Amino acid sequence: MSLIGNIIWLIFGGLIVAFEYFLSGLILCATIIGIPFGIQCFKIGILTLMPFGREVREVPGESGCLSTIFNIVWIFLGGIWIALTHLVFGILLAITIIGLPFAKQHFKLMSLSFAPFGKDIF
């Protein structure tokens, strides 16, 4: 089921969204200050390529003061808009029964894109 879900996900927009995350990560990594934010874009982009069968967990050892500060900066620089976009697409897909698995993946991406620092993908 995960393989079929990932293939359908990639065909209907997952590949385009992953490309956008990777492009944003490259642009952010071009500056020294943006490297931590670019790495988070790559992390979200990898999850966007194959979201089915993977989960997002908080890493207890990494969530410190610096992660909190970076999450606050991330939210103000665009994380809130990315999360709201995933929320809207998740709600639209949840209207239909066929779209429920894809809505669940958008909600997973929403939680990661809102505050990506201190979280890891398993």
Side-chain angles (χ1 to χ4, degrees), residues 9-99:
W9 175 268
L10 286 175
I11 291 171
F12 290 108
L15 194 60
I16 295 169
V17 175
F19 177 73
E20 290 173 351
Y21 278 120
F22 290 138
L23 184 65
S24 300
L26 285 174
I27 291 170
L28 284 168
C29 284
T31 66
I32 294 174
I33 297 172
I35 289 174
F37 301 102
I39 292 171
Q40 298 307 317
C41 282
F42 290 134
K43 184 189 332 182
I44 298 169
I46 290 169
L47 181 64
T48 304
L49 281 176
M50 302 279 185
F52 288 91
R54 303 182 83 185
E55 63 182 72
V56 177
R57 291 187 205 159
E58 289 205 29
V59 180
E62 292 186 18
S63 57
C65 179
L66 195 57
S67 293
T68 305
I69 292 170
F70 279 171
N71 278 330
I72 291 170
V73 171
W74 174 272
I75 289 169
F76 285 121
L77 291 179
I80 187 76
W81 300 112
I82 297 169
L84 286 174
T85 303
H86 285 297
L87 177 68
V88 168
F89 284 131
I91 290 171
L92 288 174
L93 286 168
I95 293 173
T96 65
I97 294 173
I98 297 171

